[in-house]
Tab-separated table of all heavy atoms in Angstrom:
chain	number	residue	atom	x	y	z
S	1	PRO	N	313.758	124.044	135.741
S	1	PRO	CA	312.526	124.504	135.078
S	1	PRO	C	312.832	125.553	133.919
S	1	PRO	O	312.301	125.573	132.878
S	1	PRO	CB	311.768	125.081	136.090
S	1	PRO	CG	312.094	124.264	137.402
S	1	PRO	CD	313.421	124.042	137.155
S	2	GLU	N	313.950	126.429	134.231
S	2	GLU	CA	314.326	127.502	133.245
S	2	GLU	C	314.907	126.751	132.191
S	2	GLU	O	314.733	127.189	130.911
S	2	GLU	CB	315.271	128.344	134.025
S	2	GLU	CG	315.771	129.568	133.186
S	2	GLU	CD	316.502	130.541	133.944
S	2	GLU	OE1	316.438	130.752	135.177
S	2	GLU	OE2	317.523	131.116	133.374
S	3	LEU	N	315.801	125.815	132.334
S	3	LEU	CA	316.466	125.162	131.195
S	3	LEU	C	315.440	124.408	130.351
S	3	LEU	O	315.626	124.366	129.087
S	3	LEU	CB	317.521	124.154	131.741
S	3	LEU	CG	318.678	124.716	132.598
S	3	LEU	CD1	319.571	123.629	133.153
S	3	LEU	CD2	319.512	125.771	131.713
S	4	PHE	N	314.565	123.807	130.943
S	4	PHE	CA	313.441	123.097	130.284
S	4	PHE	C	312.689	123.963	129.375
S	4	PHE	O	312.271	123.723	128.286
S	4	PHE	CB	312.588	122.178	131.157
S	4	PHE	CG	311.540	121.391	130.491
S	4	PHE	CD1	311.789	120.286	129.736
S	4	PHE	CD2	310.173	121.914	130.476
S	4	PHE	CE1	310.820	119.440	129.226
S	4	PHE	CE2	309.180	121.151	129.853
S	4	PHE	CZ	309.557	120.009	129.194
S	5	ALA	N	312.359	125.139	129.950
S	5	ALA	CA	311.525	126.228	129.297
S	5	ALA	C	312.207	126.653	127.939
S	5	ALA	O	311.548	126.869	126.950
S	5	ALA	CB	311.186	127.347	130.105
S	6	ARG	N	313.528	126.801	128.042
S	6	ARG	CA	314.333	127.117	126.880
S	6	ARG	C	314.168	126.003	125.839
S	6	ARG	O	314.109	126.348	124.500
S	6	ARG	CB	315.747	127.405	127.283
S	6	ARG	CG	315.996	128.534	128.206
S	6	ARG	CD	317.504	128.619	128.481
S	6	ARG	NE	317.802	129.470	129.688
S	6	ARG	CZ	318.899	129.581	130.250
S	6	ARG	NH1	319.929	128.821	129.892
S	6	ARG	NH2	319.145	130.398	131.425
S	7	GLN	N	314.243	124.812	126.239
S	7	GLN	CA	314.103	123.721	125.271
S	7	GLN	C	312.729	123.624	124.603
S	7	GLN	O	312.520	123.412	123.493
S	7	GLN	CB	314.444	122.351	125.952
S	7	GLN	CG	314.432	121.229	124.895
S	7	GLN	CD	315.589	121.564	123.867
S	7	GLN	OE1	316.608	121.649	124.111
S	7	GLN	NE2	315.103	121.487	122.559
S	8	VAL	N	311.693	123.869	125.431
S	8	VAL	CA	310.340	123.989	124.856
S	8	VAL	C	310.207	125.005	123.872
S	8	VAL	O	309.576	124.852	122.830
S	8	VAL	CB	309.268	124.238	126.061
S	8	VAL	CG1	307.862	124.399	125.365
S	8	VAL	CG2	309.251	123.130	127.024
S	9	ALA	N	310.832	126.185	124.099
S	9	ALA	CA	310.748	127.314	123.202
S	9	ALA	C	311.511	126.954	121.806
S	9	ALA	O	311.190	127.288	120.794
S	9	ALA	CB	311.392	128.547	123.822
S	10	ARG	N	312.602	126.123	121.933
S	10	ARG	CA	313.320	125.677	120.817
S	10	ARG	C	312.654	124.673	119.939
S	10	ARG	O	312.655	124.772	118.701
S	10	ARG	CB	314.731	125.205	121.251
S	10	ARG	CG	315.726	126.239	121.597
S	10	ARG	CD	317.131	125.620	121.737
S	10	ARG	NE	317.366	124.686	122.798
S	10	ARG	CZ	317.753	125.014	123.999
S	10	ARG	NH1	318.203	126.252	124.292
S	10	ARG	NH2	317.942	124.008	124.969
S	11	THR	N	312.074	123.602	120.697
S	11	THR	CA	311.530	122.528	119.920
S	11	THR	C	310.148	122.183	120.467
S	11	THR	O	309.877	121.105	120.960
S	11	THR	CB	312.457	121.390	119.965
S	11	THR	OG1	312.550	120.905	121.385
S	11	THR	CG2	313.756	121.572	119.317
S	12	PRO	N	309.216	123.139	120.304
S	12	PRO	CA	307.835	122.864	121.010
S	12	PRO	C	307.076	121.687	120.375
S	12	PRO	O	306.348	121.030	121.129
S	12	PRO	CB	307.090	124.156	120.627
S	12	PRO	CG	307.715	124.854	119.456
S	12	PRO	CD	309.200	124.353	119.590
S	13	ASP	N	307.318	121.389	119.208
S	13	ASP	CA	306.418	120.372	118.613
S	13	ASP	C	307.170	119.065	118.364
S	13	ASP	O	306.727	117.944	117.831
S	13	ASP	CB	306.084	120.770	117.078
S	13	ASP	CG	305.136	121.936	117.275
S	13	ASP	OD1	304.283	122.006	118.172
S	13	ASP	OD2	305.311	122.954	116.515
S	14	ALA	N	308.487	118.897	118.850
S	14	ALA	CA	309.204	117.635	118.918
S	14	ALA	C	308.672	116.791	119.960
S	14	ALA	O	308.058	117.283	120.980
S	14	ALA	CB	310.714	117.891	119.257
S	15	THR	N	308.778	115.484	119.883
S	15	THR	CA	308.380	114.463	120.910
S	15	THR	C	309.206	114.450	122.022
S	15	THR	O	310.294	114.130	121.957
S	15	THR	CB	308.146	113.075	120.272
S	15	THR	OG1	307.403	113.156	119.140
S	15	THR	CG2	307.538	112.117	121.246
S	16	ALA	N	308.625	114.808	123.200
S	16	ALA	CA	309.441	114.745	124.489
S	16	ALA	C	309.285	113.483	125.232
S	16	ALA	O	310.246	113.100	125.928
S	16	ALA	CB	308.921	115.905	125.382
S	17	LEU	N	308.206	112.853	125.075
S	17	LEU	CA	307.900	111.587	125.878
S	17	LEU	C	307.113	110.597	125.083
S	17	LEU	O	306.220	111.005	124.359
S	17	LEU	CB	307.108	111.879	127.175
S	17	LEU	CG	306.741	110.829	127.989
S	17	LEU	CD1	307.962	110.264	128.736
S	17	LEU	CD2	305.692	111.286	129.175
S	18	ALA	N	307.626	109.307	125.208
S	18	ALA	CA	306.889	108.221	124.516
S	18	ALA	C	306.703	107.093	125.486
S	18	ALA	O	307.736	106.697	126.158
S	18	ALA	CB	307.667	107.793	123.356
S	19	PHE	N	305.512	106.722	125.823
S	19	PHE	CA	305.210	105.618	126.722
S	19	PHE	C	304.118	104.752	126.050
S	19	PHE	O	302.929	105.131	125.909
S	19	PHE	CB	304.656	106.187	128.050
S	19	PHE	CG	304.360	105.044	129.037
S	19	PHE	CD1	305.370	104.589	129.894
S	19	PHE	CD2	303.014	104.504	129.106
S	19	PHE	CE1	305.125	103.689	130.903
S	19	PHE	CE2	302.806	103.518	130.011
S	19	PHE	CZ	303.893	103.125	130.908
S	20	GLU	N	304.644	103.568	125.619
S	20	GLU	CA	303.777	102.657	124.900
S	20	GLU	C	303.167	103.390	123.652
S	20	GLU	O	303.908	103.854	122.841
S	20	GLU	CB	302.713	102.077	125.822
S	20	GLU	CG	303.382	101.396	127.043
S	20	GLU	CD	303.880	99.946	126.596
S	20	GLU	OE1	305.029	100.088	126.160
S	20	GLU	OE2	303.293	98.866	126.963
S	21	ASP	N	301.840	103.415	123.693
S	21	ASP	CA	301.201	104.184	122.488
S	21	ASP	C	300.966	105.643	122.646
S	21	ASP	O	300.395	106.274	121.872
S	21	ASP	CB	299.898	103.530	122.197
S	21	ASP	CG	300.008	102.074	121.805
S	21	ASP	OD1	301.044	101.708	121.111
S	21	ASP	OD2	299.159	101.244	122.070
S	22	THR	N	301.322	106.237	123.856
S	22	THR	CA	301.097	107.575	124.161
S	22	THR	C	302.429	108.434	123.884
S	22	THR	O	303.548	108.001	124.210
S	22	THR	CB	300.809	107.722	125.619
S	22	THR	OG1	299.556	107.033	125.808
S	22	THR	CG2	300.505	109.271	125.904
S	23	THR	N	302.287	109.486	123.236
S	23	THR	CA	303.360	110.468	123.005
S	23	THR	C	302.923	111.839	123.335
S	23	THR	O	301.645	112.236	123.328
S	23	THR	CB	303.896	110.482	121.514
S	23	THR	OG1	302.842	110.849	120.720
S	23	THR	CG2	304.444	109.182	121.115
S	24	LEU	N	303.915	112.656	123.917
S	24	LEU	CA	303.629	114.083	124.253
S	24	LEU	C	304.698	114.919	123.567
S	24	LEU	O	305.920	114.511	123.623
S	24	LEU	CB	303.593	114.213	125.751
S	24	LEU	CG	302.434	113.664	126.615
S	24	LEU	CD1	302.828	113.930	128.131
S	24	LEU	CD2	301.141	114.187	126.218
S	25	THR	N	304.383	115.943	122.890
S	25	THR	CA	305.339	116.842	122.485
S	25	THR	C	305.913	117.726	123.689
S	25	THR	O	305.330	117.646	124.786
S	25	THR	CB	304.728	117.905	121.473
S	25	THR	OG1	303.774	118.704	122.117
S	25	THR	CG2	304.074	117.066	120.331
S	26	TYR	N	306.930	118.506	123.397
S	26	TYR	CA	307.464	119.402	124.524
S	26	TYR	C	306.392	120.370	124.975
S	26	TYR	O	306.253	120.662	126.080
S	26	TYR	CB	308.741	120.045	124.012
S	26	TYR	CG	309.938	119.234	124.141
S	26	TYR	CD1	310.392	118.300	123.250
S	26	TYR	CD2	310.752	119.359	125.280
S	26	TYR	CE1	311.503	117.511	123.404
S	26	TYR	CE2	311.856	118.635	125.528
S	26	TYR	CZ	312.229	117.722	124.578
S	26	TYR	OH	313.353	116.834	124.759
S	27	ARG	N	305.614	120.885	124.067
S	27	ARG	CA	304.517	121.827	124.306
S	27	ARG	C	303.412	121.185	125.179
S	27	ARG	O	303.034	121.751	126.077
S	27	ARG	CB	303.902	122.417	123.077
S	27	ARG	CG	303.009	123.579	123.290
S	27	ARG	CD	302.092	123.760	121.988
S	27	ARG	NE	302.706	123.734	120.691
S	27	ARG	CZ	303.373	124.759	120.112
S	27	ARG	NH1	303.379	125.887	120.765
S	27	ARG	NH2	303.969	124.570	118.984
S	28	GLU	N	303.093	120.018	124.825
S	28	GLU	CA	302.070	119.163	125.594
S	28	GLU	C	302.518	118.848	126.989
S	28	GLU	O	301.778	118.941	127.918
S	28	GLU	CB	301.576	117.986	124.811
S	28	GLU	CG	300.841	118.320	123.654
S	28	GLU	CD	300.680	117.073	122.649
S	28	GLU	OE1	301.513	116.182	122.764
S	28	GLU	OE2	299.770	117.162	121.778
S	29	LEU	N	303.694	118.402	127.015
S	29	LEU	CA	304.270	118.033	128.408
S	29	LEU	C	304.441	119.187	129.225
S	29	LEU	O	304.112	119.155	130.422
S	29	LEU	CB	305.649	117.350	128.225
S	29	LEU	CG	306.447	116.938	129.444
S	29	LEU	CD1	305.724	116.079	130.326
S	29	LEU	CD2	307.853	116.398	129.117
S	30	ASP	N	304.880	120.352	128.676
S	30	ASP	CA	304.997	121.490	129.432
S	30	ASP	C	303.784	122.006	130.014
S	30	ASP	O	303.551	122.360	131.134
S	30	ASP	CB	305.676	122.598	128.516
S	30	ASP	CG	306.009	123.891	129.348
S	30	ASP	OD1	306.708	123.724	130.321
S	30	ASP	OD2	305.499	125.025	128.895
S	31	ALA	N	302.582	121.952	129.164
S	31	ALA	CA	301.282	122.407	129.634
S	31	ALA	C	300.780	121.521	130.680
S	31	ALA	O	300.201	122.019	131.710
S	31	ALA	CB	300.298	122.508	128.383
S	32	ARG	N	300.887	120.252	130.604
S	32	ARG	CA	300.315	119.386	131.583
S	32	ARG	C	301.158	119.524	132.994
S	32	ARG	O	300.553	119.522	134.004
S	32	ARG	CB	300.520	117.896	131.079
S	32	ARG	CG	299.464	117.444	130.001
S	32	ARG	CD	299.428	116.080	129.752
S	32	ARG	NE	299.172	115.137	130.842
S	32	ARG	CZ	299.006	113.913	130.654
S	32	ARG	NH1	298.864	113.254	129.503
S	32	ARG	NH2	298.849	113.175	131.735
S	33	ALA	N	302.406	119.637	132.772
S	33	ALA	CA	303.216	119.799	134.069
S	33	ALA	C	302.966	121.123	134.810
S	33	ALA	O	302.896	121.244	135.918
S	33	ALA	CB	304.747	119.664	133.722
S	34	ASN	N	302.723	122.181	133.916
S	34	ASN	CA	302.328	123.462	134.502
S	34	ASN	C	301.056	123.470	135.211
S	34	ASN	O	300.977	124.048	136.340
S	34	ASN	CB	302.318	124.473	133.361
S	34	ASN	CG	303.659	124.955	132.830
S	34	ASN	OD1	304.578	124.821	133.537
S	34	ASN	ND2	303.663	125.487	131.610
S	35	ARG	N	299.947	122.811	134.739
S	35	ARG	CA	298.678	122.826	135.417
S	35	ARG	C	298.902	121.983	136.730
S	35	ARG	O	298.347	122.470	137.709
S	35	ARG	CB	297.721	121.907	134.643
S	35	ARG	CG	297.300	122.834	133.359
S	35	ARG	CD	296.074	122.208	132.686
S	35	ARG	NE	295.620	123.001	131.615
S	35	ARG	CZ	295.839	122.869	130.312
S	35	ARG	NH1	296.765	121.879	129.915
S	35	ARG	NH2	295.371	123.584	129.397
S	36	LEU	N	299.662	120.901	136.752
S	36	LEU	CA	299.901	120.193	137.965
S	36	LEU	C	300.798	121.088	139.029
S	36	LEU	O	300.476	121.001	140.090
S	36	LEU	CB	300.516	118.855	137.642
S	36	LEU	CG	300.864	117.995	138.910
S	36	LEU	CD1	299.616	117.650	139.748
S	36	LEU	CD2	301.421	116.598	138.468
S	37	ALA	N	301.711	121.737	138.384
S	37	ALA	CA	302.598	122.605	139.214
S	37	ALA	C	301.747	123.588	139.947
S	37	ALA	O	302.013	123.939	141.148
S	37	ALA	CB	303.690	123.244	138.436
S	38	HIS	N	300.788	124.191	139.310
S	38	HIS	CA	299.934	125.261	139.968
S	38	HIS	C	299.182	124.602	141.091
S	38	HIS	O	298.907	125.161	142.138
S	38	HIS	CB	298.938	125.819	138.935
S	38	HIS	CG	299.579	126.912	138.150
S	38	HIS	ND1	299.811	128.193	138.622
S	38	HIS	CD2	300.045	126.985	136.911
S	38	HIS	CE1	300.398	128.872	137.701
S	38	HIS	NE2	300.460	128.115	136.541
S	39	TRP	N	298.704	123.306	140.877
S	39	TRP	CA	297.932	122.560	141.946
S	39	TRP	C	298.908	122.422	143.036
S	39	TRP	O	298.453	122.480	144.173
S	39	TRP	CB	297.318	121.258	141.374
S	39	TRP	CG	296.591	120.519	142.372
S	39	TRP	CD1	295.297	120.688	142.704
S	39	TRP	CD2	297.120	119.411	143.205
S	39	TRP	NE1	295.002	119.795	143.685
S	39	TRP	CE2	296.000	118.993	143.955
S	39	TRP	CE3	298.308	118.811	143.322
S	39	TRP	CZ2	296.143	117.990	144.963
S	39	TRP	CZ3	298.447	117.813	144.226
S	39	TRP	CH2	297.322	117.386	144.884
S	40	LEU	N	300.076	121.854	142.745
S	40	LEU	CA	301.008	121.570	143.744
S	40	LEU	C	301.324	122.851	144.624
S	40	LEU	O	301.430	122.700	145.857
S	40	LEU	CB	302.318	121.047	143.165
S	40	LEU	CG	302.244	119.628	142.626
S	40	LEU	CD1	303.567	119.296	141.797
S	40	LEU	CD2	302.008	118.596	143.650
S	41	ALA	N	301.447	123.966	144.078
S	41	ALA	CA	301.806	125.227	144.843
S	41	ALA	C	300.596	125.453	145.685
S	41	ALA	O	300.884	125.959	146.869
S	41	ALA	CB	302.052	126.311	143.774
S	42	GLY	N	299.465	125.198	145.259
S	42	GLY	CA	298.305	125.482	146.250
S	42	GLY	C	298.159	124.449	147.351
S	42	GLY	O	297.557	124.784	148.369
S	43	GLN	N	299.044	123.374	147.284
S	43	GLN	CA	299.098	122.356	148.400
S	43	GLN	C	300.333	122.596	149.299
S	43	GLN	O	300.588	121.851	150.187
S	43	GLN	CB	299.300	120.902	147.827
S	43	GLN	CG	298.129	120.652	146.786
S	43	GLN	CD	296.777	120.642	147.296
S	43	GLN	OE1	296.424	120.157	148.431
S	43	GLN	NE2	296.024	121.450	146.583
S	44	GLY	N	301.007	123.722	149.030
S	44	GLY	CA	302.168	124.142	149.826
S	44	GLY	C	303.442	123.773	149.391
S	44	GLY	O	304.583	123.880	150.015
S	45	VAL	N	303.553	123.261	148.161
S	45	VAL	CA	304.884	122.960	147.572
S	45	VAL	C	305.600	124.180	147.092
S	45	VAL	O	304.959	125.038	146.420
S	45	VAL	CB	304.755	121.964	146.436
S	45	VAL	CG1	306.054	121.602	145.709
S	45	VAL	CG2	303.999	120.766	146.798
């Protein structure tokens, strides 16, 4: 997570993920994963 955060800071608007017609930038992927991570922590992860 720390290494990934550094990459997000370096290239926030670069495309991190492409799946068919969907793309997410590093900033977008980071935000989506962060929201889910907070939920996971609430489930005992």
Side-chain angles (χ1 to χ4, degrees):
E2 185 176 325
L3 300 175
F4 182 76
R6 296 177 194 171
Q7 187 57 56
V8 174
R10 286 193 291 263
T11 58
D13 298 316
T15 301
L17 179 68
F19 182 88
E20 301 290 73
D21 296 329
T22 300
T23 60
L24 293 178
T25 66
Y26 275 85
R27 191 198 315 271
E28 292 167 337
L29 175 61
D30 189 53
R32 286 186 58 167
N34 284 337
R35 290 191 175 97
L36 181 54
H38 280 283
W39 181 85
L40 290 170
Q43 309 303 306
V45 177

